Amino acid sequence: MDEASVSVGGTDGQPLGIDGLLERIRAGYERIEPQEAYAAAQGGEALLVDIRYAALRERDGLIPGALVIERNELEWRLDPQGSHRAPEATSHDLRVVVLCNEGYASSLAVESLRRLGLHRATDLVGGFQAWRAEGLPVRSGAGTEA
């Protein structure tokens, strides 16, 4: 996705607004459904990255195996060239599936990761809440299975 495709103005010169911005961003990549994300993570084909803040993780639980990186650190931790990268951030070809609580903030995060060159970055449709609603594995924030 190039910079022009995510401009801040609409076609009429008026501010785009968050809904329009999300629509433009999401048009540039294919989002992933919970069951597909689960299968990809289980098969070692994708890295799930949970960007929810601590209170939500404690309240609702965690996805086993997901890498937790709070949103304000995401780009620094996933940039394979960065000095603060996570060990899992091995290349720009890494398939990263970002998830937030309901699938909105994660779309904005994906746009940022793609600008860094992580061209396979995507996000989870419906976020953590959709994952849980599908009955996929969740453990409590305290570390026990939920």
Side-chain angles (χ1 to χ4, degrees):
M1 178 178 342
D2 62 22
E3 256 184 81
S5 67
V6 187
S7 65
V8 293
T11 56
D12 60 0
Q14 295 299 312
L16 188 58
I18 189 61
D19 293 330
L21 180 61
L22 279 172
E23 185 177 325
R24 280 195 186 176
I25 288 170
R26 290 173 175 169
Y29 67 95
E30 187 174 329
R31 300 177 80 207
I32 190 169
E33 295 287 338
Q35 292 288 344
E36 184 183 353
Y38 176 70
Q42 290 297 300
E45 300 165 11
L47 174 65
L48 299 179
V49 178
D50 187 342
I51 64 169
R52 294 174 302 143
Y53 54 90
L56 286 177
R57 295 190 312 267
E58 290 168 14
R59 181 189 78 191
D60 293 338
L62 301 164
I63 295 174
L67 179 62
V68 174
I69 302 176
E70 295 216 7
R71 176 64 191 97
N72 64 325
E73 297 180 0
L74 187 67
E75 292 83 358
W76 285 268
R77 305 288 289 145
L78 290 183
D79 179 2
Q81 298 175 331
S83 59
H84 292 47
R85 74 174 180 83
E88 295 85 352
T90 56
S91 85
H92 285 96
D93 197 42
L94 180 66
R95 185 176 185 199
V96 175
V97 178
V98 181
L99 66 108
C100 63
N101 196 47
E102 295 181 347
Y104 297 101
S106 57
S107 294
L108 298 173
V110 165
E111 196 271 334
S112 181
L113 292 176
R114 285 175 162 258
R115 285 181 182 232
L116 283 176
L118 292 156
H119 63 97
R120 296 181 68 205
T122 188
D123 72 319
L124 187 65
V125 175
F128 178 85
Q129 297 305 322
W131 178 280
R132 185 169 62 179
E134 288 282 323
L136 294 169
V138 173
R139 67 169 208 245
S140 76
T144 59
E145 293 298 317

